[in-house]
Structure formats: structure tokens, C-alpha cells
Amino acid sequence: MRATLIYGAGDVRVENVPDPVIEQPTDAVVRVLRACVCGSDLWPYGSRAATQHGDRIGHEFLGVVEETGSEVHGLKRGDVVVAPFVWSDNTCDFCLEGLQTSCRHGGMWARNGVDGGQGEAVRVPQAQGTLVRLPVGEDSALLPSLLTLSDVFPTGYHCAVTAGVNARTTVTVIGDGAVGLSAVLSARRLGAERIILMGRHKDRTDLGREFGATDVVAERGEEGVERVRELTGGDGTHAVLECVGLEQAMDTAFGVVRDGGVVGRVGAPQYEKVSMGSREFMRNITLTGGVAPARAYIEELLPDMLDGTIEPGRVFDHTVHLEKVPDGYRAMAARQALKVLITP
Ligand SMILES: [Zn+2]
């Protein structure tokens, strides 16, 4: 089959790789219907050291079950399923606590001999716990929104949930990428009425307004902090959803959070330390968030997508065929595309 491999910064190729087969009785093989490029794929795309061998890449996909191992129950050939960006048994103590990203028997796609999502098919370990059946056909118009269940939308949602967003909280979302826009949609879904979106790409912040943002702040750094403070009577907002992952975004988050407020972060951190000293202590600031256990949110979010209440799939503004995935990476890295959908 064909699949995407990364060889180094700026070097992504689609090549022939072995067809996936059932290796463990808990495996399934899924033919991919839709996949996509994640903002976090752009970190290795920007910096990975060049190597002779390529590594598989991609962790967001939905598809059709082709085959199941003998211990996989509740799934059958032909089912349309979505896979979260971490596979898990969904039965261990961490999974039962809703933290499938810490599953005792789980792992990541495209690591240690497991397939990546940006290919024609995927061997899915722990298939019964990992995959969620979707009550739609292979040609459903809802596939783009349903695909966001694998990562980007639950990641934005996790940010809003961990930051305690509700109808009484004011919210600032930092970042107008697909996760930031998902965080806006999530904050709105959780009842927030005042949502300030910090971002400087007008086409993206326009979509953010449609998703529920009430104010847009294009300024960055100190200027951006001041602008948010002006909008909130000098105080900042109760919740801040940091959806970038850079140190400057974290500094902005502490600058715009209200005393007693909560900063949730879901942007994969490109820094080692958070500067959280006596200033934040005296202001009673909480820092939370982390890698999103997407699997924990899928059943909760699915109905709103099926009935069209929310359409997070609108973050896809660019579609490429699997063979053109390198073009998709280039477009996203150059900020010409917000998020790239991949079709077989
Ligand atoms: Zn588990």
C-alpha cells in the first residue's frame, strides 16, 4: 500500500510500504477514508534531522473496518470508524478514569512498528478499545467533521473543559489555528458568552467569529495583553485556552488571565519550563491542560456533529489526494492552508 513517510525537515514522501495485517488477536485493519495533517506534524516537518530511512507519520484518520482479530468484539467488516490519536484498550484503570492517553496497554500511531494514519490503511492495535463506530456511510458529507474527533476538536474541547469553561466564565483563546478555532467552538458549546480570540489571520479569525468568538485581538505580545485587558475592564478573563505551544503564547496566557483564573494549555509545548513564580502565586493562577484524551470525549461530542449542531470540519480549507500529501504539508507550513484533509 501507499503511505506517508517523513525523512527530514521539509521532506515528506508517499511510498510503498507493507500492507497491514492482523498481528495480534486484538488488532483490526482499517482502510482509510479520510486523514489529515496536524499542526503538531509541522514540528518535525520544520526541524527533523535528515535520515536515510523515513518514519511513518500521521495520527488522525477515519475509515472502514476491513478485518478484525479474534478478540475484537462489537466491530465488523464494513463499519465506518474513527480512531483517536492515541490507541488504548479503554479498560485499564487510567482509561476508566478518562485518561486514555496514559493507557497501560496503549501507544502512539507511527511509532514502534505501528502504522501512521496518512496512508491507505492502518493496523489498529487494541481495536475494540480504540475505534468508535460512526453511524454513517462511506460517502457521508459529515466525514470532515467526524474526522476532527480523532484529535483537533477533542483537543480544543479538552482545553476548555480543563480550564473550567462554563456559562459564567469569560474566555480568551490564544491561537487561530485549527485547535484554537476548535477551542472557540468548544467554549461556546460549554456556554461561554464572552470569547476573545487572539489571532492575526483574518480568514481564520472570521471563522472563529462564526464559531462563537465575540472579540478578535490581532495584536501579539505585550500589546495583545493590553488589548485583552482593555476589553475586560483591566482584569483579563477567567479562562485562557493556550492553543499554540510556544513560550511567548504561555507568557501571553499569564498576562491575560484574571486573578484566580485558569490557563489550559493543549498546544504541544515547544519549551521545557513554564515560568510560574511568585507573581502567579500571588494572583492564584492555575495551570492545567495537557495532551487530550480524545477517546474520552468522542461519544459526548458525536451527537452534536451527527445533527449538525456543530461543524468543526469547517477548519479544513484544503484537500489533497494521498499522493499529494507533500503539497499539503507545504501549504500548511507556509500558512496557505489552515488544515489539510487527505482523501484516498
Ligand atoms: Zn487503558
Side-chain angles (χ1 to χ4, degrees):
M1 70 157 179
R2 305 286 286 169
T4 308
L5 294 94
I6 182 163
Y7 280 81
D11 187 0
V12 165
R13 308 177 198 173
V14 179
E15 295 183 342
N16 292 324
V17 300
D19 286 338
V21 293
I22 301 287
E23 292 176 12
Q24 302 289 332
T26 44
D27 289 349
V29 171
V30 169
R31 171 170 52 85
V32 176
L33 284 175
R34 295 289 184 277
C36 54
V37 182
C38 183
S40 67
D41 294 330
L42 296 182
W43 298 120
Y45 186 74
S47 64
R48 184 188 182 281
T51 47
Q52 291 299 311
H53 74 277
D55 290 322
R56 301 284 285 279
I57 189 165
H59 55 260
E60 297 167 84
F61 65 95
L62 61 71
V64 182
V65 174
E66 291 281 299
E67 200 183 344
T68 53
S70 58
E71 289 176 23
V72 177
H73 303 290
L75 292 168
K76 61 180 192 307
R77 187 182 165 85
D79 283 347
V80 175
V81 290
V82 65
F85 71 93
V86 171
W87 48 271
S88 60
D89 59 14
N90 216 26
T91 54
C92 77
D93 51 344
F94 280 120
C95 285
L96 295 179
E97 290 166 21
L99 201 64
Q100 286 87 342
T101 41
S102 294
C103 177
R104 294 186 190 277
H105 310 107
M108 308 287 288
W109 304 108
R111 307 256 174 95
N112 306 318
V114 176
D115 292 320
Q118 293 164 5
E120 284 186 288
V122 175
R123 178 180 71 87
V124 177
Q126 300 292 349
Q128 187 177 322
T130 302
L131 299 172
V132 180
R133 205 177 67 79
L134 302 170
V136 298
E138 290 187 30
D139 55 355
S140 169
L142 296 174
L143 293 186
S145 280
L146 295 170
L147 173 62
T148 68
L149 287 169
S150 70
D151 182 349
V152 61
F153 190 58
T155 292
Y157 197 65
H158 184 62
C159 202
V161 167
T162 55
V165 172
N166 61 46
R168 294 173 306 283
T169 47
T170 51
V171 180
T172 302
V173 175
I174 301 175
D176 59 7
V179 172
L181 297 180
S182 295
V184 169
L185 190 57
S186 299
R188 185 73 200 96
R189 185 178 185 276
L190 292 167
E193 287 176 4
R194 186 82 190 274
I195 303 170
I196 301 169
L197 172 59
M198 300 187 77
R200 58 191 179 137
H201 303 89
K202 188 171 181 305
D203 49 339
R204 301 179 180 193
T205 55
D206 283 351
L207 180 56
R209 286 185 192 275
E210 291 185 48
F211 278 177
T214 49
D215 305 84
V216 170
V217 169
E219 293 86 351
R220 314 174 85 191
E222 279 304 310
E223 225 182 322
V225 170
E226 261 173 52
R227 186 82 192 95
V228 173
R229 292 205 163 253
E230 273 169 30
L231 289 169
T232 53
D235 287 343
T237 57
H238 300 100
V240 178
L241 313 184
E242 195 281 284
C243 302
V244 177
L246 294 172
E247 202 164 9
Q248 194 206 20
M250 189 53 78
D251 291 342
T252 300
F254 288 135
V256 299
V257 69
R258 190 175 186 272
D259 286 10
V262 184
V263 174
R265 62 165 173 174
V266 290
Q270 304 302 303
Y271 51 83
E272 284 305 317
K273 286 181 183 159
V274 173
S275 171
M276 214 177 164
S278 60
R279 204 174 115 85
E280 289 71 29
F281 174 83
M282 293 307 289
R283 298 176 58 215
N284 272 277
I285 305 305
T286 298
L287 174 62
T288 182
V291 63
R295 181 65 187 83
Y297 297 115
I298 292 179
E299 282 93 345
E300 176 189 348
L301 297 172
L302 181 57
D304 277 6
M305 292 185 188
L306 293 173
D307 70 13
T309 305
I310 53 172
E311 292 181 275
R314 293 178 66 193
V315 297
F316 294 110
D317 61 345
H318 198 87
T319 301
V320 296
H321 183 271
L322 177 60
E323 294 296 330
K324 297 287 183 189
V325 164
D327 292 342
Y329 273 80
R330 270 191 289 277
M332 257 177 84
R335 301 290 183 268
Q336 288 159 356
L338 169 55
K339 192 166 175 72
V340 173
L341 185 70
I342 303 167
T343 60

